[in-house]
Amino acid sequence: LPMNKVVFFDRFRFTEKNTRRETAVLATILEGIYDQRTVRLKYHTNQKGPRHGEFRPIVLEFSKRNNRFQGYFQKCKTDAIFTFNIAQIETAVETDTPFDYSAAESALERYRRDNTTSVEIEFSNVKNIVDRILTEFSPWEKRCSYNPKTGKYRLTIFYQTLEELDLVVRLLGYGANIRFVDKAHPIFKEIQSRMNRQMDLITERRKESNMQEPGDNR
């Protein structure tokens, strides 16, 4: 297969312009954290386009899930906690307004505690699933136990409610190799709904295909 026929891209290679912008944004946010001063951000959202706001910067961390830096902020007007990927932030400007960092940090801890939930699954060690699934969910806090009588593993994954869709996509790939302990869990219901929609789509396409096939005139 000639390489000039292969279309590929490097998702970890960022343009020089974006790299300069994100570097400047990171530096400004770090200064705001160290100086304990608010920052004015211009950021992008999926639904409403560019937005502006003044925030108290609390924590910067590197997310292993999306290989990007993300920050936790407290909005000055409402005290609500926001999470931004640095790629979402177009500009950041440090202000002269000081804030109580300890109070903002405590608010973030309460937010994380109040929004932490868990999902519990069981599986047997088929197709090297133990290594695969523990590696897949390494960024999350989790607890795993093994029952030698049943030969099954039980894994509890702790996550933030905003990360639910991410877990749905990842767990969906394991199909029938995993079993949800709680069939009323939102993640199980979402996976079941997606699988049902997929089966309905397959059935619909088969019907359309059969209708388009020419009849047997023999």
Side-chain angles (χ1 to χ4, degrees), residues 21 39 46 137 144 153 176:
R21 175 182 57 78
V39 291
N46 295 330
F137 293 95
C144 188
Y153 292 82

Side-chain angles (χ1 to χ4, degrees), residues 105-146:
E105 189 176 34
S106 297
L108 174 60
E109 290 304 316
R110 287 194 301 273
Y111 170 83
R112 282 176 160 168
R113 184 175 60 251
D114 294 343
N115 288 276
T116 296
T117 185
S118 64
V119 61
E120 200 169 22
I121 58 174
E122 286 186 337
F123 49 87
S124 300
N125 193 19
V126 295
K127 300 180 181 179
N128 200 31
I129 192 172
V130 174
D131 288 339
R132 287 167 49 212
I133 205 165
L134 291 178
T135 301
E136 175 98 34
F137 293 95
S138 59
W140 282 272
E141 180 184 353
K142 55 196 170 297
R143 182 172 59 247
C144 188
S145 61
Y146 175 70

Side-chain angles (χ1 to χ4, degrees), residues 164-173 187 190-191 194:
E164 197 161 88
L165 180 59
D166 195 358
L167 267 71
V168 167
V169 173
R170 291 172 184 261
L171 290 170
L172 190 59
I187 289 182
E190 178 62 24
I191 289 177
R194 291 185 177 212

Side-chain angles (χ1 to χ4, degrees), residues 33 36 56-60 72-74 79 81 99-113:
I33 293 173
Q36 297 184 19
R56 304 178 187 104
I58 308 173
V59 174
L60 273 175
Y72 290 88
F73 303 83
Q74 186 180 39
D79 290 339
I81 299 296
F99 70 93
D100 186 342
Y101 182 82
S102 296
E105 189 176 34
S106 297
L108 174 60
E109 290 304 316
R110 287 194 301 273
Y111 170 83
R112 282 176 160 168
R113 184 175 60 251

